[in-house]
C-alpha cells in the first residue's frame, strides 16, 4: 500500500518520524533534554504558567512563558479555552475544538497531520503553546491563500486552483501527484472535484511531511 493510500484509508494514521524532518524546535523552554527526570508535572506547569497564576485569566498574560513574544491574544485565548486541565498542553481533540472556533471544522485526520507537522518532540500526543501558535499562524496564511484562489468565493477550489494555491505555499506539485491527492475526494458523481479548506490543508500537510 502506498504512503498516500495509508493516509487516505486510515483514520488513525500517524506518519513515521524516521523519514521526516526534526520536530519543531522547543528551544528548551519547558524541558531540559539532558535532565528529563528532574522535571515533575508541577515543575512543567510552572514553566508554562509562572510562579502562581493571576486572578481571572489563569496566568496566560502574567508570568506565562510558553508562547513566543508578541503572540496575539486571540491565539492565547483559543489555547486557554481548550486547555481545561491547565497543563499547558492540548491533545488532538482539544486542538480540533480550538480550530473549529477560529477557522473551520477540521476532520480529525487533518488535525492529526497538523499535530505531526508541528509536533512536540517530548510528547507526540500533545502540543504546547509554541507549537499551537506556529500552527495557528500557518493556518492563517494558508487560509488567505485558499481564499485568494477561490475565485468564485463558493468555499471550494478545483484541481487547477489547488495546484496554484499549493505553489503559493512553496509546494510545486507534479500533476500526477495532484491527481492522486484529489482522487480521494471523488464522490463518484462524475462532477468536477472541488476541495474545501479542510481538504486543502490536508493535501498541503501531506505534501509538506513527505517532501
Amino acid at each position: 500500500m502506498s504512503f498516500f493510500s495509508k493516509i487516505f484509508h486510515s483514520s488513525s494514521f500517524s506518519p513515521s518520524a524516521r523519514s521526516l524532518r526534526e520536530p519543531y524546535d522547543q528551544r528548551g523552554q519547558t524541558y531540559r533534554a539532558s535532565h528529563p527526570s528532574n522535571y515533575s508535572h508541577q515543575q512543567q506547569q510552572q514553566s508554562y504558567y509562572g510562579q502562581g497564576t493571576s486572578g481571572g485569566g489563569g496566568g496566560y498574560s502574567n508570568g506565562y512563558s510558553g508562547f513566543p513574544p508578541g503572540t496575539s491574544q486571540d491565539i492565547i485565548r483559543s489555547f486557554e479555552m481548550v486547555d481545561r486541565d491547565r497543563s499547558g498542553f492540548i491533545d488532538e481533540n482539544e486542538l480540533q475544538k480550538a480550530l473549529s472556533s477560529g477557522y473551520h471544522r477540521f476532520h480529525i485526520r487533518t488535525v492529526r497531520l497538523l499535530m505531526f507537522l508541528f509536533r512536540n518532540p517530548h510528547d507526540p500526543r500533545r502540543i504546547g503553546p509554541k507549537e499551537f501558535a506556529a500552527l495557528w499562524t500557518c493556518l492563517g496564511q494558508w487560509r488567505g491563500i485558499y481564499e485568494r484562489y477561490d475565485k468564485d468565493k463558493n468555499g471550494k477550489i478545483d484541481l487547477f486552483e489547488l495546484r496554484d494555491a499549493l505553489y503559493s505555499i512553496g509546494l510545486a506539485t507534479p500533476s500526477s501527484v495532484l491527481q492522486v491527492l484529489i482522487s480521494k475526494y471523488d464522490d463518484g458523481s462524475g462532477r468536477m472535484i472541488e476541495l474545501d479548506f479542510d481538504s486543502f490543508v490536508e493535501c498541503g500537510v501531506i505534501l509538506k511531511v513527505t517532501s
Side-chain angles (χ1 to χ4, degrees):
M1 182 179 289
S2 71
F3 183 80
F4 289 136
S5 297
K6 288 179 181 179
I7 293 175
F8 290 155
H9 293 93
S10 173
S11 61
S12 61
F13 174 77
S14 177
S16 170
R18 292 184 179 181
S19 62
L20 306 173
R21 347 181 142 83
E22 288 302 309
Y24 196 84
D25 179 25
Q26 289 286 305
R27 297 195 303 183
Q29 287 185 331
T30 313
Y31 293 90
R32 298 286 197 277
S34 59
H35 300 93
S37 60
N38 293 339
Y39 281 75
S40 66
H41 174 77
Q42 181 180 3
Q43 287 170 314
Q44 290 175 17
Q45 192 165 2
Q46 285 180 348
S47 176
Y48 278 103
Y49 292 98
Q51 299 293 329
T53 59
S54 61
Y60 279 90
S61 58
N62 295 303
Y64 190 67
S65 61
F67 284 100
T71 299
S72 165
Q73 288 299 310
D74 289 339
I75 295 176
I76 295 174
R77 280 192 294 269
S78 295
F79 187 91
E80 181 179 25
M81 178 183 68
V82 296
D83 181 22
R84 297 300 178 86
D85 62 0
R86 313 295 292 154
S87 66
F89 296 94
I90 59 174
D91 61 23
E92 62 187 32
N93 294 315
E94 292 167 328
L95 176 59
Q96 187 181 43
K97 290 177 183 177
L99 295 179
S100 295
S101 68
Y103 279 104
H104 184 90
R105 178 65 180 178
F106 286 99
H107 191 284
I108 193 64
R109 179 179 57 238
T110 306
V111 173
R112 287 169 181 160
L113 286 167
L114 284 167
M115 286 194 68
F116 182 77
L117 183 62
F118 294 94
R119 63 196 179 278
N120 171 8
H122 304 287
D123 187 348
R125 294 183 179 277
R126 301 188 300 170
I127 61 172
K130 188 174 182 181
E131 296 90 5
F132 181 81
L135 186 159
W136 192 278
T137 301
C138 176
L139 284 181
Q141 295 167 349
W142 285 20
R143 182 79 195 187
I145 291 171
Y146 178 86
E147 291 176 350
R148 185 193 314 163
Y149 287 97
D150 177 18
K151 301 294 177 60
D152 58 4
K153 306 304 178 187
N154 69 343
K156 303 276 188 178
I157 58 174
D158 62 25
L159 174 62
F160 301 105
E161 292 168 333
L162 173 64
R163 178 199 60 196
D164 294 341
L166 290 173
Y167 186 80
S168 292
I169 60 176
L171 297 169
T173 311
S175 296
S176 58
V177 175
L178 280 176
Q179 291 290 348
V180 172
L181 284 172
I182 206 168
S183 64
K184 174 188 185 301
Y185 310 102
D186 187 354
D187 60 7
S189 66
R191 293 176 297 185
M192 181 174 61
I193 302 172
E194 295 182 307
L195 277 62
D196 62 10
F197 183 57
D198 183 2
S199 301
F200 169 68
V201 171
E202 182 181 19
C203 289
V205 175
I206 288 170
L207 290 171
K208 274 195 170 293
V209 301
T210 57
S211 62

